[in-house]
């Protein structure tokens, strides 16, 4: 089989995979698109907009999606979590576990990471599924031995651009047989990475534009082509295992296809879903806001009806009360109207202006009820959303906030599971690619900058690199050891400040009897735990006091040494005086004996 036929069959197989995924995920992606439109405020159907335009009534909607999404995103940002690698064996595994932990923290504490994580969390809320891709890239810097330094990056893949195996049922989608990421890329930029003869076969992407006269097909100004980045698992009869292939392809040509170089047994992609899996239809994915759609539509309908009622007039009149009914209605509906009616029509109540205040009030009450239903569906309450107006104590408000967070626990847990999933994918990549000497910056819990060096080269007294078996000697080597990942989530609220202060007060009373020397440090911990603004000043005072005590101790020790030396000198002088007297007495005794 020649290469052309082989590539053609591969492209046809990839197309069928994309078509299969599109068929099964079509409803989920349409829901995702609709919820995103609602978040942006595009909530009214075209027929409703047309009716409003004919009435000359302004468009009106109440965006409960945006209100809730802003609050939930803020709550997620304020939550904390601590990631840690644990060595499975004693010795080097345990020692290097701290270094691995620091590297994981550095990879998941960058501006790029938080931007991608924010997008993935937003995708959880709208579509119910979040996708983050890992990539290893060169930093462009070399160590002393010429080894290239590498970093791990992260890319969020929108659900609308992802073609996922619809029959994967593992929580992390590790049993997926294929995955394709659809992109529109500038053709000129592809020449930097792929063979020119292949890139030239790409078909330029076209877009249909429709107006009231005709439909025209035009190409984009930037000259882009639809390209897929994909992964595929193929069972190898020879090796008796699944082999993962990485490919870049389009409908016309395969730009690249090769075995995945990463030492992992799954795609380098973290996929998590928020809702429970439906075994009958695994592709049925629903986000956090799915059940709000009918409620939002009903709220908008109530608003539009109420506004229409307030801007319209409803009359009942007898036929002999006016000369011409149409003329009367047209003139009376004007803002400044002076309308003539027949004699006795008003005094005899032949004309009645029907007010719709009760109907408008009922619509407003229905809107309030629908808002409460929406809060209950999401699991939030007024205290969490910041809409509470009732007067309660601080402790009661905090308890209500904690109760309101229960509904968000599934979203928060899913997001944390993805963080752990990414860390578990990063571990083998760190051990495989982090071979160069590299400095990492870590911020510790005291907001102090710290640095550590991985794969540090050992130098002799002359500054040359030490070697063993012709290989450079390195410390903090990351290529050995086996580790487990733990992810500790810090609760959003840990009780009221007053409760924590009382707890610390009782604890310090107990320690005052058993361990009084620990009270200064415990005071500092109490201030930090209660989020006191003077905690940092307290820390500085304690450190300064330690320095002063150390300095005073050194001075006292020096004074004691000086005093001891002086006493020693006095004692030596006395001894010499006694010796001289003894010698003198001995000399005199000798003379007398003669």
């Amino acid at each position: 089989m020649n290469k052309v036929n082989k590539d053609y069959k591969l492209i046809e197989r990839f197309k069928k995979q994309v078509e299969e995924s599109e068929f099964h995920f079509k409803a989920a992606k349409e829901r995702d698109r609709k919820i995103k439109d609602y978040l942006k405020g595009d909530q009214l159907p075209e027929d409703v907009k047309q009716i409003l335009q004919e009435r000359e009534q302004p468009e009106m909607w109440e965006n409960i999606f945006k209100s809730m999404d802003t609050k939930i995103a803020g709550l997620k940002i304020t939550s904390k979590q601590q990631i840690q690698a644990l060595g499975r064996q004693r010795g080097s595994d345990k020692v290097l576990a701290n270094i691995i932990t620091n590297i994981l923290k550095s990879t998941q504490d960058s501006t790029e990471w938080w931007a991608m994580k924010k997008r993935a969390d937003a995708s959880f809320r709208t579509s119910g599924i979040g996708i983050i891709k890992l990539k290893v890239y060169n930093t462009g810097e070399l160590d002393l031995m010429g080894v290239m330094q590498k970093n791990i990056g992260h890319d969020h893949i929108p659900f609308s651009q992802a073609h996922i195996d619809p029959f994967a049922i593992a929580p992390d989608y590790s049993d997926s047989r294929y995955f394709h990421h659809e992109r529109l890329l500038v053709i000129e930029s592809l020449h930097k990475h792929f063979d020119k003869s292949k890139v030239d076969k790409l078909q330029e992407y076209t877009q249909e534009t429709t107006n009231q006269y005709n439909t025209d097909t035009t190409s984009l100004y930037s000259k882009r082509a639809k390209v897929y980045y994909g992964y595929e698992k193929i069972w190898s009869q020879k090796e008796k295992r699944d082999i993962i292939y990485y490919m870049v392809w389009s409908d016309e040509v395969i730009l690249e296809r090769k075995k995945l170089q990463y030492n992992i047994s799954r795609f380098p992609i973290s996929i998590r879903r928020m809702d429970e899996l439906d075994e009958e239809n695994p592709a049925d994915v629903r986000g956090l806001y799915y059940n709000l759609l009918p409620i939002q539509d009903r709220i908008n309908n109530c608003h539009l009806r109420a506004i229409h009622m307030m801007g319209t007039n409803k009359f009942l009149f007898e036929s002999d009360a006016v000369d011409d009914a149409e003329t009367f209605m047209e003139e009376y509906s004007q803002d400044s109207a002076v309308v003539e009616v027949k004699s006795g029509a008003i005094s005899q109540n032949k004309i009645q202006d029907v007010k719709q205040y009760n109907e408008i009030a009922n619509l407003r009450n229905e809107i309030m009820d629908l808002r409460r239903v929406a809060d209950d569906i999401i699991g939030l309450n007024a205290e969490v959303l910041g809409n509470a107006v009732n007067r309660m104590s601080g402790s009661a408000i905090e308890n209500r906030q904690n109760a309101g967070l229960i509904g968000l626990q599934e979203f928060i847990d899913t997001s944390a599971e993805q963080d752990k999933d990414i860390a578990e994918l990063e571990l083998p990549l760190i051990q495989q690619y982090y071979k160069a000497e590299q400095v990492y910056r870590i911020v510790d819990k005291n907001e102090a900058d710290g640095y550590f060096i991985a794969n540090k080269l050992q130098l002799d007294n002359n500054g040359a690199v030490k070697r063993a078996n012709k290989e450079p000697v390195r410390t903090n080597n990351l290529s050995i050891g086996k580790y487990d990942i733990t992810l500790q989530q810090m609760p959003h609220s840990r009780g009221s400040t007053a409760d924590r202060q009382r707890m610390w007060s009782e604890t310090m009373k107990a320690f005052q009897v058993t361990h009084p020397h620990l009270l200064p440090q415990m005071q500092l911990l109490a201030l930090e735990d209660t989020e006191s603004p003077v905690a940092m000043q307290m820390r500085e005072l304690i450190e300064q006091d330690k320095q002063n005590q150390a300095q005073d101790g050194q001075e006292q020790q020096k004074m004691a040494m000086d005093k001891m030396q002086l006493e020693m000198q006095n004692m030596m002088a006395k001894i010499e005086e006694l010796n001289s007297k003894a010698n003198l007495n001995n000399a005199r005794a000798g003379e007398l004996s003669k």
Side-chain angles (χ1 to χ4, degrees):
M1 183 186 299
N2 58 39
K3 189 175 186 307
V4 175
N5 291 335
K6 183 179 178 180
D7 287 354
Y8 174 78
K9 289 189 175 182
L10 286 174
I11 291 175
E12 289 300 312
R13 186 171 75 207
F14 299 157
K15 285 182 179 180
K16 289 181 180 179
Q17 292 172 354
V18 171
E19 291 172 358
E20 179 184 66
S21 178
E22 279 293 315
F23 174 78
H24 288 278
F25 282 102
K26 181 179 179 181
K29 290 185 176 181
E30 288 177 351
R31 285 194 296 266
D32 177 41
R33 181 69 268 165
K34 185 175 182 179
I35 291 174
K36 287 179 178 178
D37 290 339
Y38 272 51
L39 272 170
K40 296 176 182 178
D42 187 9
Q43 301 180 358
L44 302 181
E46 290 300 325
D47 56 341
V48 175
K49 293 181 180 180
Q50 184 66 29
I51 294 174
L52 295 177
Q53 187 176 3
E54 294 173 357
R55 293 178 182 172
E56 297 184 356
Q57 179 180 336
E59 296 182 6
M60 171 66 186
W61 62 85
E62 179 183 335
N63 200 338
I64 61 174
F65 281 85
K66 188 63 177 178
S67 174
M68 288 188 176
D69 191 68
T70 302
K71 298 294 194 310
I72 293 173
L75 289 171
K76 179 61 174 62
I77 291 173
T78 58
S79 64
K80 300 177 182 179
Q81 57 191 26
Q82 184 73 23
I83 195 166
Q84 186 177 6
L86 301 177
R88 294 184 181 178
Q89 302 174 5
R90 294 183 178 182
S92 59
D93 285 14
K94 187 175 181 180
V95 174
L96 292 176
N98 292 331
I99 300 176
I100 296 290
T101 298
N102 287 331
I103 294 179
L104 291 175
K105 288 181 180 179
S106 66
T107 59
Q108 295 191 10
D109 193 25
S110 62
T111 304
E112 175 229 27
W113 159 257
W114 285 113
M116 297 302 168
K117 184 59 182 174
K118 184 178 178 181
R119 294 178 184 178
D121 286 344
S123 182
F124 278 128
R125 298 192 294 270
T126 58
S127 66
I129 196 166
I131 308 171
I132 293 182
K133 174 185 174 182
L134 280 72
K135 58 183 179 181
V136 179
Y137 63 92
N138 297 329
T139 64
E141 299 179 1
L142 305 175
D143 66 2
L144 291 176
M145 301 304 299
V147 180
M148 179 65 69
Q149 295 180 357
K150 298 180 183 292
N151 275 341
I152 296 177
H154 310 84
D155 287 330
H156 169 253
I157 299 178
F159 180 48
S160 59
Q161 298 178 4
H163 302 285
I164 309 169
D165 184 352
F167 300 104
I169 59 174
D172 57 359
Y173 280 79
S174 58
D175 58 342
S176 298
R177 305 304 300 179
Y178 62 83
F179 178 90
H180 300 280
H181 179 200
E182 180 180 332
R183 297 288 307 277
L184 284 178
L185 301 178
V186 177
I187 297 177
E188 184 179 354
S189 66
L190 295 173
H191 286 102
K192 295 185 294 184
H193 307 286
F194 306 105
D195 185 74
K196 184 178 183 301
S197 61
K198 294 183 178 181
V199 175
D200 290 341
K201 294 180 181 180
L202 293 174
Q203 184 176 354
E204 188 176 317
Y205 178 75
T206 58
Q207 189 175 26
E208 289 188 352
T209 57
T210 305
N211 54 34
Q212 57 181 329
Y213 302 107
N214 59 7
T215 299
D216 189 18
T217 301
T218 59
S219 62
L220 297 175
Y221 168 76
S222 53
K223 307 298 182 185
R224 295 176 179 266
K226 183 181 290 187
V227 178
Y228 296 87
Y229 289 82
Y231 299 91
E232 185 183 32
K233 278 183 183 178
I234 301 295
W235 175 258
S236 173
Q237 290 291 348
K238 181 179 179 181
E239 301 183 27
K240 301 299 180 182
R241 67 181 182 90
D242 281 325
I243 298 178
I244 300 178
Y245 288 89
Y246 167 73
M247 55 271 188
V248 184
W249 62 281
S250 70
D251 292 345
E252 300 82 24
V253 63
I254 295 179
L255 297 176
E256 184 179 26
R257 184 175 184 265
K258 60 183 181 182
K259 289 184 180 180
L260 185 66
Q261 302 299 312
Y262 300 159
N263 292 336
I264 54 179
S265 59
R266 48 179 288 197
F267 303 152
I269 299 173
S270 172
I271 306 175
R272 285 282 175 174
R273 61 183 295 161
M274 198 184 72
D275 64 333
E276 290 295 330
L277 177 72
D278 182 0
E279 289 79 3
E280 300 296 329
N281 185 11
D284 185 16
V285 184
R286 299 169 189 259
L288 187 65
Y289 303 140
Y290 165 71
N291 291 314
L292 294 183
L293 289 170
I295 296 176
Q296 179 70 80
D297 290 338
R298 180 57 184 165
I299 289 176
N300 292 340
N301 181 263
C302 291
H303 277 299
L304 293 174
R305 286 185 59 192
I307 293 174
H308 180 63
M309 287 181 179
M310 288 187 291
T312 56
N313 298 316
K314 184 180 290 187
F315 294 98
L316 296 175
F317 57 87
E318 298 181 8
S319 58
D320 60 346
V322 297
D323 292 327
D324 187 357
E326 293 184 0
T327 303
F328 169 76
M329 291 299 301
E330 182 178 355
E331 293 178 352
Y332 190 84
S333 62
Q334 297 178 4
D335 292 337
S336 298
V338 179
V339 184
E340 181 181 4
V341 298
K342 288 185 177 182
S343 178
I346 297 177
S347 59
Q348 297 177 16
N349 294 325
K350 293 184 177 182
I351 299 176
Q352 184 180 358
D353 188 356
V354 180
K355 300 299 182 182
Q356 305 182 75
Y357 297 140
N358 292 335
E359 290 81 355
I360 294 173
N362 291 335
L363 289 172
R364 289 177 176 173
N365 291 334
E366 185 176 355
I367 291 173
M368 296 297 294
D369 293 338
L370 290 170
R371 290 172 182 168
R372 285 191 289 269
V373 171
D375 294 342
D376 292 339
I377 290 176
I378 299 300
L380 298 177
N381 52 31
E383 283 72 22
V384 173
L385 292 175
N387 300 328
V389 294
N390 51 329
R391 300 184 64 180
M392 292 190 299
S393 65
S395 179
I397 291 177
E398 190 161 9
N399 290 335
R400 288 277 297 163
Q401 288 177 338
N402 292 337
L405 288 172
I406 295 175
L408 290 179
Q409 197 59 45
E410 188 174 16
F411 161 65
I412 295 174
D413 287 346
T414 305
S415 179
E417 287 170 3
Q418 186 169 59
D419 293 346
K420 182 178 179 180
D421 191 26
I422 291 173
E424 290 175 346
L425 282 171
E426 287 177 347
L427 264 178
L429 298 182
I430 290 173
Q431 295 178 306
Q432 180 181 359
Y433 288 100
Y434 282 42
K435 303 296 185 181
E437 182 180 86
Q438 201 161 347
V439 180
Y440 296 92
R441 174 180 176 271
I442 297 296
V443 178
D444 63 18
K445 63 180 181 180
N446 299 325
E447 303 300 327
D449 291 341
Y451 296 89
F452 72 96
I453 302 175
N455 300 311
K456 184 178 181 180
L457 291 166
Q458 292 296 299
L459 306 179
D460 58 20
N461 296 330
N462 298 324
V465 178
K466 294 181 179 180
R467 293 181 177 273
N469 298 326
K470 298 182 180 181
E471 293 293 331
V473 178
R474 298 179 184 267
T475 58
N476 298 338
N477 193 334
L478 305 178
S479 61
I480 58 175
K482 295 182 179 181
Y483 310 92
D484 291 324
I485 295 296
T486 63
L487 188 68
Q488 179 184 3
Q489 289 183 253
M490 302 297 292
H492 174 71
S493 176
R494 294 168 290 116
S496 66
T497 302
D499 291 339
R500 280 178 277 161
Q501 287 175 344
R502 284 193 294 269
M503 183 273 294
W504 276 108
S505 177
E506 296 299 325
T507 303
M508 284 190 286
K509 286 180 183 178
F511 272 70
Q512 189 173 7
V513 179
T514 58
H515 302 81
H517 60 284
L518 296 179
L519 288 180
Q521 288 79 6
M522 293 183 67
Q523 280 183 324
L524 178 59
L525 293 175
L527 289 173
E528 291 178 345
D529 185 54
T530 54
E531 300 172 358
S532 173
V534 299
M536 291 302 296
Q537 291 86 336
M538 189 72 169
R539 178 179 294 278
E540 293 176 359
L541 288 175
I542 292 177
E543 293 297 331
Q544 186 176 359
D545 182 63
K546 287 182 180 179
Q547 293 177 2
N548 293 336
Q549 289 181 2
Q551 186 175 0
D552 293 342
Q554 292 176 358
E555 292 179 356
Q556 291 177 2
Q557 186 177 6
K558 183 179 179 182
M559 291 175 62
M561 291 294 295
D562 293 342
K563 183 178 179 181
M564 186 180 296
Q565 289 179 359
L566 182 60
E567 291 178 352
M568 289 290 293
Q569 291 175 0
N570 291 334
M571 292 177 65
M572 291 297 295
K574 289 180 180 180
I575 293 172
E576 290 178 358
E577 182 181 358
L578 293 173
N579 288 333
S580 63
K581 288 181 179 181
N583 293 331
L584 181 62
N585 292 333
N586 291 332
R588 289 178 179 178
E591 292 177 356
L592 291 174
S593 64
K594 291 178 180 181

